[in-house]
Amino acid sequence: MHIHILGICGTFMGGVAALAREAGHRVTGCDAGVYPPMSDQLRALGIDLVEGYGADQMALRPDVWVVGNVVSRARLPDGSPRYPLMEAILESGARYTSGPQWLAEHVLHGRHVLAVAGTHGKTTTTSMLAWVLEATGQQPGFLVGGVPVDFGVSARLGTGGQFVIEADEYDTAFFDKRSKFVHYRPRTAVLNNLEFDHADIFDDLAAIERQFHHLVRTVPSSGRVIVNELEESLARVLHEGCWSEVRSFGAAVSDFTAQGEPGGFDVLLRGERVGRVDWDLSGTHNQLNALAAIAAAEHVGVAPAQAAAALGRFRNVKRRMELRGESGGVRVYDDFAHHPTAIRTTLDGLRRKLGPAGGRILAVFEPRSNTMKLGAMKAQLPWSLEQADLAFCHAGGLGWDARDALAPMGVRASVADSIEDLVAQVVPAARAGDHVVCMSNGGFGGIHARLLQALSAR
């Protein structure tokens, strides 16, 4: 089969492309701004890429067009279509589908799908679960919205009967406004947490809870729903109806609980010690992620003791508190955190790991997600940055006043309208022993390398 993917350089669609190519299909694709590293990864797989969305790509005549959710029916100011190729596909009557639908029909069908959903921690928990299954001989397939260090790739078919997938609540395509995860039909579903996010497509938290309940409806009675019992929003989701076995984690009365610090803890199943995790990860959020992965692995026959031992060898995911370098005694990290709660848990985890005498934390962040750009959570930013000694915000392109939003932090917060100005603020403020945490869900203008270069030149 020849598939042509519109929006191929996105993390999810790039993963679909890699899986399709591994399965033996001919894969081509297009995107706006085809650039490394995704372009290099795809071309290394033998996937031809086209820049832009020109209608001349109709000459490729694939068996099916796979449409990413970046594509819309939007028009440019002059009235011309933003995506001429999509208009040509619709006019021609050619066969088209979404990435999640193609994945469900051609990769997931017939396999035991383990899906990890949640506002935060999806990528890390999915990676943990895939690693546990791999370390215990299951050889799972997986699709992750990042690159697990233990695998070096974001997606693979695997030879076992299980497939682990990051289950995103964002919508599927312009013609299918359901959440992506509704297509996956999991037998094991992790509901890790649930907060308001994606203000560009959801009106309120209740709208997202409704989508999570749609996911719960697809789990068979012999399946398992694994739920974070600390989350009232998830309690409301299950209250709407659940027809499967439920296993809980997180709260003192949950099935799976942890005893000890996040860096080393016993795993308890209904109060009985069943394993121990000793690892380099920090933060209560990762402790909870581990419990979710252990509960999910148990559903496919992996004993909690085995899962806990495997997690002791887990090396995390790129861009999750990834140390990018050190210069002049200043350590620079890269982290994907962009929602206020994720920013707070990331900084809390580092503060807890460092201890009171472990050096200052300098938080460098950009409100880049659609939700943050809309200003829906700007009031939570001071709360999210409480553990930072200093905070530096890149405010270029925002439609709201970052200086006003960060005013409660006083002199601890600085705002810059360009990456150059941001670097110029951070470097003089940094001193030996500091930890500079750069947080964004994008490339952040290569700020990590710029900071390290500027620090070494001072």
Side-chain angles (χ1 to χ4, degrees):
M1 176 188 294
H2 175 196
I3 69 172
H4 188 74
I5 299 178
L6 284 69
I8 194 171
C9 288
T11 303
F12 174 77
M13 297 303 281
V16 171
L19 292 170
R21 186 70 184 88
E22 188 181 350
H25 300 293
R26 181 190 172 201
V27 183
T28 55
C30 64
D31 211 323
V34 174
Y35 51 85
M38 183 60 77
S39 59
D40 291 341
Q41 293 176 34
L42 294 173
R43 287 188 174 116
L45 294 171
I47 297 172
D48 293 329
L49 304 180
V50 181
E51 171 68 36
Y53 295 91
D56 57 336
Q57 293 174 59
M58 292 297 293
L60 292 169
R61 300 177 62 84
D63 297 294
V64 62
W65 305 87
V66 181
V67 183
N69 67 1
V70 69
V71 176
S72 70
R73 301 296 302 279
R75 298 266 168 181
L76 297 172
D78 65 2
S80 62
R82 184 177 297 276
Y83 300 95
L85 176 57
M86 192 66 238
E87 298 300 319
I89 292 168
L90 294 171
E91 288 292 346
S92 72
R95 183 182 170 205
Y96 65 92
T97 188
S98 69
Q101 186 66 37
W102 190 93
L103 187 70
E105 293 174 354
H106 297 276
V107 175
L108 303 183
H109 181 69
R111 302 183 76 171
H112 184 123
V113 176
L114 300 96
V116 179
T119 307
H120 315 292
K122 289 189 293 294
T123 298
T124 302
T125 308
T126 305
S127 301
M128 287 180 184
L129 180 53
W131 170 245
V132 166
L133 298 186
E134 176 76 4
T136 54
Q138 309 295 315
Q139 297 183 310
F142 59 83
L143 175 56
V144 185
V147 181
V149 175
D150 295 300
F151 294 104
V153 294
S154 64
R156 79 169 191 197
L157 283 178
T159 57
Q162 293 89 28
F163 196 97
V164 185
I165 188 165
E166 181 172 329
D168 186 9
E169 71 272 23
Y170 205 82
D171 63 14
T172 297
F174 75 86
F175 50 87
D176 183 353
K177 305 313 287 183
R178 296 173 295 172
S179 292
K180 291 186 181 76
F181 57 40
V182 175
H183 293 272
Y184 300 155
R185 310 291 172 88
R187 300 191 72 83
T188 308
V190 173
L191 310 184
N192 209 10
N193 42 62
L194 178 52
E195 291 188 63
F196 181 65
D197 198 4
H198 310 306
D200 53 322
I201 61 169
F202 292 119
D203 292 333
D204 49 31
L205 180 58
I208 311 177
E209 290 176 2
R210 189 174 308 113
Q211 292 295 322
F212 269 67
H213 192 248
H214 290 168
L215 174 64
V216 170
R217 292 177 190 175
T218 67
V219 182
S221 58
S222 60
R224 175 181 288 189
V225 176
I226 298 154
V227 60
N228 183 345
E229 221 165 16
L230 296 171
E231 299 277 321
E232 292 182 7
S233 53
L234 293 178
R236 290 192 294 269
V237 169
L238 294 190
H239 183 72
E240 291 297 313
C242 183
W243 301 266
S244 312
E245 173 190 70
V246 176
R247 288 290 182 269
S248 60
F249 68 94
V253 296
S254 297
D255 295 311
F256 288 87
T257 57
Q259 189 173 70
E261 292 299 310
F265 57 92
D266 291 332
V267 177
L268 309 182
L269 176 54
R270 300 184 193 94
E272 180 182 348
R273 184 183 182 279
V274 291
R276 181 168 178 82
V277 176
D278 288 295
W279 57 2
D280 292 330
L281 274 67
S282 62
T284 303
H285 59 297
N286 277 320
Q287 192 176 55
L288 293 171
N289 293 341
L291 293 177
I294 291 167
E298 188 203 40
H299 192 226
V300 290
V302 178
Q306 290 180 289
L311 287 175
R313 304 189 299 277
F314 176 69
R315 293 188 294 162
N316 215 339
V317 184
K318 291 184 178 181
R319 301 206 64 201
R320 269 62 181 179
M321 281 305 294
E322 179 184 1
L323 179 63
R324 293 292 295 269
E326 181 175 344
S327 181
V330 178
R331 307 188 98 193
V332 177
Y333 303 84
D334 183 13
D335 195 86
F336 195 75
H338 55 281
H339 185 284
T341 300
I343 292 172
R344 184 179 178 90
T345 54
T346 294
L347 299 179
D348 282 353
L350 179 59
R351 175 63 70 201
R352 194 165 180 170
K353 184 176 183 178
L354 294 175
R360 299 189 307 167
I361 296 175
L362 278 59
V364 183
F365 69 101
E366 63 172 351
R368 183 182 176 277
S369 71
N370 289 331
T371 300
M372 293 302 289
K373 284 181 178 177
L374 290 169
M377 296 182 178
K378 62 184 180 181
Q380 296 181 37
L381 283 174
W383 165 80
S384 74
L385 295 160
E386 282 181 350
Q387 291 292 356
D389 294 280
L390 297 173
F392 302 85
C393 175
H394 177 225
L398 294 180
W400 46 275
D401 189 347
R403 290 171 178 83
D404 182 64
L406 294 170
M409 297 184 68
V411 296
R412 290 171 51 223
S414 301
V415 177
D417 295 322
S418 70
I419 299 296
E420 291 77 10
D421 290 343
L422 198 64
V423 171
Q425 289 179 354
V426 176
V427 172
R431 62 191 188 215
D434 285 351
H435 300 263
V436 178
V437 184
C438 303
M439 294 174 285
S440 171
N441 66 343
F444 209 162
I447 193 170
H448 323 85
R450 293 191 190 193
L451 284 172
L452 289 166
Q453 182 179 13
L455 286 166
S456 65
R458 66 180 183 174

